Amino acid sequence: MTALLVALGAAVGAPLRFLAAHLLDGRWPTGTFLVNAAGSFLLGLFSALALDGQTLALLGTGLCGGLTTYSALAVQSHDRGRALGAAYAVTTVLIAVVLCAAGFAVGQA
């Protein structure tokens, strides 16, 4: 049952990621940045809500896992060269951590 819930969540998250990248990624990977930021916030929120195992599998592992893409972040960082790629990677990770903490705080409020 857990695997099915993860697949269902990913079936929603992955198309959203595809659409964001398709519509917003250009010279700068805005779509990828936005899905990673949104997924980090949501995972923080879901963690704070202390969801049961099945709901967390659906929303956390499935939805957020399908929505976010740190492999694309790695490729896009590499493609931008050493300085710009490192700046993009570090900025994305720092903002993702901050948004995850913000989502956690919102969930506990």
Side-chain angles (χ1 to χ4, degrees), residues 61-74:
T61 306
L63 177 66
C64 291
L67 180 64
T68 58
T69 173
Y70 282 88
S71 58
L73 168 67

Side-chain angles (χ1 to χ4, degrees), residues 9-21 31-43 46 59-70:
V12 173
L16 290 174
R17 170 174 33 115
F18 174 79
L19 283 174
T32 301
F33 176 81
L34 289 176
V35 295
N36 285 334
S40 296
F41 177 84
L42 289 173
L43 191 56
F46 297 150
L59 298 176
T61 306
L63 177 66
C64 291
L67 180 64
T68 58
T69 173
Y70 282 88

Side-chain angles (χ1 to χ4, degrees), residues 64-109:
C64 291
L67 180 64
T68 58
T69 173
Y70 282 88
S71 58
L73 168 67
V75 171
Q76 292 166 343
S77 296
H78 179 269
D79 289 348
R80 278 161 178 75
R82 183 173 288 187
L84 189 57
Y88 171 59
V90 168
T91 301
T92 299
V93 170
L94 289 176
I95 288 175
V97 169
V98 168
L99 288 174
C100 183
F104 194 86
V106 168
Q108 287 191 321

